[in-house]
Amino acid sequence: MVLLIQRRSLIISQQSFGSRNNRTTSKILPGEQIKSDFYCLKSFKNSIELDPMDSLTYTWNLTNTTEGSVCNFAGVDCWHSGENKVLSIKLPGMGLKGHFPLGLQNCTSLTMLDLSNNDFNGPLPSNMSKLIPYVTTLDLSSNNFSGDIPSSLDNCSFLNVLNLDHNQFSGQIPPTLARLARIKIFNVAYNRLSGSVPIFGHNYNVSVSYDNNLGLCNGPLDPCVAHPKKIQVGVIVGALAGAPVFPTKSNGLTCSPFIP
């Protein structure tokens, strides 16, 4: 009987201890949000290779980790002034140089990112939708980004504004970007893009700009035209001279002999 009472007391004690642990864990969760957004901005600042105006040097105080401290950072807006929950990052025209900041994935409530008119360079990450899943406005215009436009942007389903103009993007615009159901502004002017553009057939109110690229077509532009097969000049001359002519290949295409 004594052993049974002792065992029950031990179980009750363990349950009470477990309950206290659960309560402690639930209290830590808001702090995790503070750490997440704080380390997002810390990683962002550390990724900057050049800050010629010291725009981040003096206002992004990374020694102060208290709740609400990041809301005083230049270009940073919070959902609420008293908590480290970043709503938007707007840093246009500051001369910042670096690659696209991967640490943004820790700003889990970010809805706007404006890095326009800076000197960011290199390709955009292929997993953009995992880095900025809830962004409604993405402005990377007037930088030096290059390479392909990531197809994963089609999973940024909240995008209303996508400005990628005045960069060095090349290749074809991913046709799957036409899935962006909320898109209102789509600007890829002044790049090195070619091929067919996305067809935003679901939304006739989309403002698009494709000016000054290598060769875009379809949609509001001229239709895409297939290039005719090229026939080697030597084949034609040889056939006219009556010499034996054999099929040759040019640019991966098989050319038939010319028949007068």
Side-chain angles (χ1 to χ4, degrees), residues 47-229:
S47 71
I48 299 300
E49 300 170 4
L50 182 64
D51 180 8
M53 302 179 186
D54 291 325
S55 304
L56 310 186
T57 302
Y58 296 112
T59 68
W60 285 36
N61 181 9
L62 298 174
T63 61
N64 183 4
T65 61
T66 58
E67 190 170 3
S69 61
V70 303
C71 304
N72 297 316
F73 289 8
V76 175
D77 291 322
C78 296
W79 284 88
H80 304 287
S81 59
E83 62 179 0
N84 287 359
K85 193 174 182 181
V86 177
L87 171 68
S88 64
I89 299 175
K90 294 175 285 188
L91 302 170
M94 294 185 174
L96 302 175
K97 182 177 182 179
H99 296 294
F100 188 87
L102 301 180
L104 286 174
Q105 64 182 331
N106 291 317
C107 284
T108 55
S109 301
L110 185 70
T111 64
M112 179 179 183
L113 178 63
D114 182 357
L115 302 180
S116 61
N117 291 284
N118 283 291
D119 195 19
F120 287 97
N121 56 79
L124 294 182
S126 60
N127 60 337
M128 287 289 286
S129 60
K130 292 184 178 180
L131 300 180
I132 50 172
Y134 304 114
V135 162
T136 60
T137 297
L138 177 60
D139 193 344
L140 303 179
S141 61
S142 299
N143 280 282
N144 284 303
F145 288 114
S146 58
D148 295 334
I149 296 176
S151 59
S152 65
L153 282 171
D154 65 3
N155 288 320
C156 294
S157 57
F158 296 97
L159 268 177
N160 286 269
V161 177
L162 180 57
N163 287 331
L164 302 177
D165 56 287
H166 292 85
N167 280 283
Q168 301 295 323
F169 291 114
S170 58
Q172 183 177 358
I173 304 171
T176 54
L177 294 186
R179 299 173 184 170
L180 295 171
R182 293 180 172 86
I183 197 72
K184 299 298 181 185
I185 298 176
F186 183 81
N187 190 346
V188 292
Y190 293 88
N191 279 286
R192 301 177 61 82
L193 299 164
S194 59
S196 180
V197 301
I199 307 299
F200 297 101
H202 61 278
N203 190 344
Y204 296 101
N205 295 320
V206 180
S207 173
V208 297
S209 181
Y210 300 117
D211 296 339
N212 289 82
N213 277 282
L214 289 182
L216 293 174
C217 53
N218 279 346
L221 307 174
D222 293 335
C224 293
V225 179
H227 295 289
K229 294 182 178 180

Side-chain angles (χ1 to χ4, degrees), residues 16-31:
S16 176
F17 180 77
S19 298
R20 287 196 299 271
N21 276 350
N22 290 336
R23 287 194 297 269
T24 303
T25 302
S26 64
K27 291 179 180 179
I28 291 175
L29 290 177

